[in-house]
Amino acid sequence: MRFRPCIDIHNGKVKQIVGGSLRDEGALAEENFVSERDAAFYAKFYKRDGLSGGHVILLNLEGSEHYQATREQASRALAAWPGGFQAGGGIHEGNAGEFLDMGASHVIVTSCVFRDGRFQEENLRRLVGAVGRDRLVLDLSCRKREGVYYIVTDRWQRFTEVPVNRETLSRLSDSCSEFLVHGVDVEGKASGVEEELVAFLGDYVEIPVTYAGGVGSFSDLEAVKRLGRGRVDVTVGSALDLFGGSLEYEKVLAWMKEES
């Protein structure tokens, strides 16, 4: 299990938000933390500790009022550590190459591939053709409805008809190098992880997968390791003291090192 750092950017600021609160209208979100530091500061911080494979996520809709400011912050982070981060948020065939040129190691995609609530196989083929399977990460962030986890898109506001199950993961794994999975209903709450989801991901080992959502304590990290069988990487956001939380970043790194 690896620790994957995150830099979430909203309205041109590095933030930690409650994931399910994000809205396009008015660019609103329930905020846990708003940093006075820019995204490059955090990129250099993670670079110092060699934490590659993290995520720079743009949380504004392309073309919206704050998108350019958010994109500029993402660009600064990627330039501060070329190849150190994956980039996601509103990425599609037309702009994916731009983020790779900025310094992203991979691009992370959701809405382009699961548009209008359905899996768009042709869009996925075009993306693979544009950037290559080895530089593509599919974000399968999900919420539970009627006992089933479904992929959600458009900044986690829209349910698709695509369930997160073994058939879906197997079908998609030939077209990407990794999966990123947020448990959206607990994202940003530091109230515990989606144990059922982590256990399912732990049973799935075809390609690397990272889980994010709800980590608020070392017992949550232990749960991810145990339920994920050590095969599931983890992201910690709002709970870290870097973002105003109670988990000490240095102690998290030490714990991960001891447990690896």
Side-chain angles (χ1 to χ4, degrees), residues 123-139:
N123 288 356
L124 178 57
R125 274 200 294 265
R126 286 199 295 263
L127 270 165
V128 173
V131 304
R133 173 186 181 273
D134 291 343
R135 303 192 76 179
L136 180 62
V137 176
L138 290 181
D139 184 338

Side-chain angles (χ1 to χ4, degrees), residues 9-12 27 58-62 64 66-67 70 89 155:
I9 308 168
H10 182 243
N11 294 356
L58 294 77
L59 294 175
N60 289 99
L61 180 67
E62 185 178 18
S64 64
H66 300 284
Y67 177 78
T70 291
R155 285 143 309 284

Side-chain angles (χ1 to χ4, degrees), residues 182-237:
H182 289 80
V184 175
D185 286 329
V186 297
E187 173 69 22
K189 297 182 179 180
S191 58
V193 301
E194 291 267 18
E195 293 192 355
E196 179 184 346
L197 180 59
V198 175
F200 164 72
L201 296 174
D203 287 335
Y204 175 84
V205 294
E206 291 185 28
I207 62 174
V209 59
T210 299
Y211 169 82
V215 175
S217 65
F218 284 100
S219 63
D220 291 328
L221 289 173
E222 290 166 358
V224 173
K225 182 181 180 183
R226 173 175 50 84
L227 295 169
R229 302 184 183 185
R231 303 165 176 170
V232 178
D233 292 343
V234 66
T235 291
V236 186

Side-chain angles (χ1 to χ4, degrees), residues 35-46:
S35 180
E36 294 302 316
R37 307 275 194 175
D38 72 357
F41 168 83
Y42 291 96
K44 293 173 183 176
F45 194 87
Y46 295 136

Side-chain angles (χ1 to χ4, degrees), residues 2-41:
R2 296 172 57 200
F3 175 67
R4 304 284 196 112
C6 61
I7 303 174
D8 294 344
I9 308 168
H10 182 243
N11 294 356
K13 295 279 190 179
V14 175
K15 294 184 182 181
Q16 288 292 318
I17 68 169
V18 177
S21 72
L22 189 61
R23 295 291 181 270
D24 286 336
E25 185 176 354
L28 299 176
E30 183 179 339
E31 298 169 345
N32 290 325
F33 177 83
V34 182
S35 180
E36 294 302 316
R37 307 275 194 175
D38 72 357
F41 168 83

